[in-house]
Amino acid sequence: MASSNKAPSPVAPAAAPASAQAQAKHPKTATASSKKVGVIGLAAIVISAMVGGGIYNLPQSMAASASAGSQIVAWGITGFGMWFIANTFRILARVKPDMKNGIYTYAERGFGRFAGFLIAYGYWVCNCIALVAYGVMIMAAIGYFLPGLFGDGSNIASLAGASAITWLMFALACRGVKSGSAINVVGTIGKIVPVLIFIIAVMTVFQLSVFMEGFWGYAKSGAALSFNLDDVMGQVSGTMMITLFLFTGIEGAVVVSGDARNQADVSKATTIGFVVVLLLYSAVSILPLGIYTSADIAGMADPSMAAIMQDRFGDVGAIIVNLGVMVAVLSSWLVWMLMLAQMPLYAARDGIFPKRFAKQNRTGAPSYSLLWSTIVIQVGLVASHFMAGNAWDTVVDISAVMCMPCYMTCAMFLWKVARKGEWPEGARFSKANGLATGIIGTVFALYLIYASGLTYLMIAAFVYAIGIPLFVIGRKQAGQKGPVLGYFTKGEKLLCAAVAALGVVGVLYSISSGVFMA
């Protein structure tokens, strides 16, 4: 992510705390940043947070599940559904401007402490897992320059290299915001330029006849298929986890809204970022189908954008893309290290994470939260070595499923706010708009959870369940008295029991699913 030249990095640890209680305990934190980020800086955050290494493997990721026609349908559905997720954040930024660090706060204020914990924890872990995917991708890109060493990015050499980068990013993040700001500006430019070069280059060799051949896919016999709704929707479902993963970060301006000039800028920046990124993603995945069949692209090595450039434009094209991957991943990695560490920080201040997660070092960085974020990423990198099949695809799917409850809860909160009539006078958005957005956003989130499939849903359930002890420790350290069950309300006890039960089922299912090698 990037900020305007006049503003500090928008992921400053000095961002406003998640609750009035936290502000009272940390008055300096709420006012430490005198400079604020405007709409351009916030839009850059949204774009940079979303556009990471995933875009460089997008042709292969989408072609593995969908033909040209089905991809167009998939992007249409994704654009429609994600617009309502984006609009959820736009509206909440206006009608609930006091709720900083949106995702966690919306869940906590709308559905209680334990729900707030689950969203803070889930958002934190899902983005740690996303950085595992970054580790796999960058080692595959470096492997272009060192043939045969790193393979698909998940072998032992890749594990060592990605681990070294992980701890380097931890060290940079601990130095505080200023050291990351310049890297973010350079990274935003460095990641977008190769993508634009790729789009322009592919357009010069695009052939409509190739694009239309097998438009709806091919049968096993090799015959081109005609339109069939069941076949198309099956292909579309296969792409949903990829598209969701790519749009992770759409909430970037809300997460750092404490540093925004005003909440109207948060709303505008979210819209700009969403439109720009949707156009980039659609072009990168669809245009190559005017050169190759979907089956040809599906068989390409990671990152597939580099493979296409190598085949059509030689070594120079591949070098540009692979360098772009490295710049994109490294810059986005630092962005997300800074962003995701905020969730445990705020949650600890509100007493639902252990107190030590609120610790900041002399530069103001949330050092303890960053340390545990790095440890989680490291564990994920080790796990990726034991994943069967394509490690990138598996890690992406797990991360996307972990993220979905976070978005769904925000849509449900907007639905609740609009239904109960808690609507401020003079809000730009009508209550009817808010209600419709909340309902459609919730339904779309449920569809994505359904489309994810049972395997990754069970893995996500297990990961959520093992986080419950953090909530118990946080409440105890916050001064909660009595037995552990007293830390939960009646409704929270039922939710906790459901999460724990699904976690047990999830670990048993995960062992037998074949996702991990024995």
Side-chain angles (χ1 to χ4, degrees):
M1 74 188 76
S3 62
S4 62
N5 292 334
K6 295 182 180 180
S9 171
V11 286
S19 70
Q21 178 185 8
Q23 287 180 353
K25 291 181 180 179
H26 302 271
K28 292 183 181 180
T29 302
T31 59
S33 179
S34 60
K35 295 182 179 180
K36 297 293 183 178
V37 184
V39 65
I40 300 301
L42 290 168
I45 297 168
V46 177
I47 294 170
S48 189
M50 283 190 281
V51 180
I55 194 171
Y56 292 94
N57 203 40
L58 184 54
Q60 186 273 339
S61 297
M62 292 293 285
S65 299
S67 63
S70 298
Q71 285 195 35
I72 292 173
V73 174
W75 285 117
I77 292 175
T78 299
F80 175 81
M82 288 307 298
W83 166 249
F84 285 97
I85 300 296
N87 206 36
T88 293
F89 294 119
R90 292 175 67 236
I91 295 174
L92 286 173
R94 287 297 189 97
V95 301
K96 293 293 181 181
D98 58 310
M99 294 188 182
K100 311 299 183 183
N101 195 34
I103 286 183
Y104 153 62
T105 314
Y106 299 151
E108 191 268 340
R109 299 285 182 86
F111 306 102
R113 282 198 181 102
F114 185 60
F117 163 79
L118 288 176
I119 297 309
Y121 169 79
Y123 185 84
W124 174 51
V125 173
C126 87
N127 284 300
C128 288
I129 295 173
L131 293 186
V132 174
Y134 280 6
V136 173
M137 177 60 68
I138 194 169
M139 299 317 298
I142 294 174
Y144 173 81
F145 301 99
L146 300 169
L149 181 58
F150 297 118
D152 67 351
S154 63
N155 61 15
I156 291 294
S158 297
L159 173 60
S163 297
I165 294 172
T166 298
W167 290 97
L168 173 62
M169 289 299 169
F170 166 71
L172 285 174
C174 282
R175 290 184 62 186
V177 177
K178 290 183 179 179
S179 64
S181 182
I183 294 175
N184 294 340
V185 172
V186 174
T188 301
I189 297 171
K191 71 174 68 173
I192 296 297
V193 169
V195 172
L196 294 177
I197 291 173
F198 174 81
I199 291 172
I200 294 169
V202 171
M203 287 176 68
T204 65
V205 293
F206 180 90
Q207 297 180 54
L208 184 60
S209 59
V210 175
F211 184 75
M212 296 305 297
E213 185 179 351
F215 189 71
W216 297 111
Y218 292 91
K220 291 182 179 180
S221 64
L225 297 172
S226 57
F227 176 81
N228 179 282
L229 184 60
D230 289 341
D231 287 342
V232 170
M233 293 311 297
Q235 293 181 51
V236 168
S237 293
T239 68
M240 285 294 102
M241 289 301 97
I242 298 298
T243 58
L244 173 59
F245 175 81
L246 291 168
F247 277 100
T248 301
I250 198 170
E251 73 286 353
V254 177
V255 171
V256 299
S257 59
D259 282 332
R261 186 174 58 194
N262 58 60
Q263 294 303 300
D265 285 349
V266 173
S267 176
K268 294 175 185 176
T270 302
T271 302
I272 294 170
F274 171 79
V275 172
V276 169
V277 170
L278 178 61
L279 292 174
L280 287 176
Y281 286 160
S282 300
V284 167
S285 77
I286 293 173
L287 287 174
L289 293 169
I291 310 172
Y292 309 94
T293 66
S294 56
D296 289 337
I297 299 175
M300 290 181 175
D302 303 339
S304 52
M305 189 186 289
I308 292 169
M309 292 292 280
Q310 172 83 50
D311 182 56
R312 289 289 167 164
F313 304 99
D315 291 341
V316 173
I319 289 171
I320 290 173
V321 171
N322 279 297
L323 289 176
V325 171
M326 294 163 65
V327 172
V329 168
L330 290 174
S331 60
S332 292
W333 200 319
L334 181 58
V335 168
W336 279 107
M337 283 288 286
L338 291 165
M339 282 181 65
L340 65 88
Q342 301 297 307
M343 284 294 175
L345 171 71
Y346 295 141
R349 289 177 179 174
D350 280 348
I352 59 173
F353 253 61
K355 279 185 177 180
R356 294 195 68 180
F357 280 90
K359 180 182 178 182
Q360 292 173 278
N361 63 17
R362 59 185 178 81
T363 67
S367 53
Y368 192 77
S369 181
L370 283 168
L371 173 62
W372 275 99
S373 299
T374 306
I375 291 171
V376 172
I377 296 166
Q378 182 65 73
V379 171
L381 287 170
V382 173
S384 71
H385 177 66
F386 296 97
M387 290 177 179
N390 189 299
W392 162 264
D393 289 338
T394 301
V395 172
V396 164
D397 287 344
I398 295 172
S399 175
V401 175
M402 286 288 298
C403 186
M404 207 59 254
C406 305
Y407 290 160
M408 184 175 70
T409 303
C410 293
M412 290 171 62
F413 177 65
L414 176 58
W415 183 352
K416 180 178 180 179
V417 169
R419 183 176 59 83
K420 287 194 171 184
E422 302 171 1
W423 211 259
E425 294 183 6
R428 177 183 175 188
F429 302 96
S430 69
K431 184 189 294 189
N433 187 347
L435 183 61
T437 296
I439 292 172
I440 296 173
T442 301
V443 171
F444 180 67
L446 287 171
Y447 165 69
L448 289 175
I449 292 173
Y450 164 78
S452 67
L454 188 60
T455 297
Y456 298 112
L457 190 59
M458 287 294 96
I459 293 174
F462 166 68
V463 176
Y464 268 100
I466 62 176
I468 293 175
L470 290 176
F471 176 77
V472 174
I473 295 170
R475 294 309 301 144
K476 184 176 182 179
Q477 292 180 349
Q480 184 91 35
K481 304 296 184 182
V484 169
L485 288 178
Y487 297 177
F488 302 85
T489 65
K490 184 178 180 180
E492 289 174 345
K493 288 177 184 177
L494 294 175
L495 177 59
C496 182
V499 172
L502 285 171
V504 173
V505 174
V507 68
L508 295 175
Y509 189 89
S510 299
I511 292 172
S512 62
S513 65
V515 172
F516 298 95
M517 296 180 290

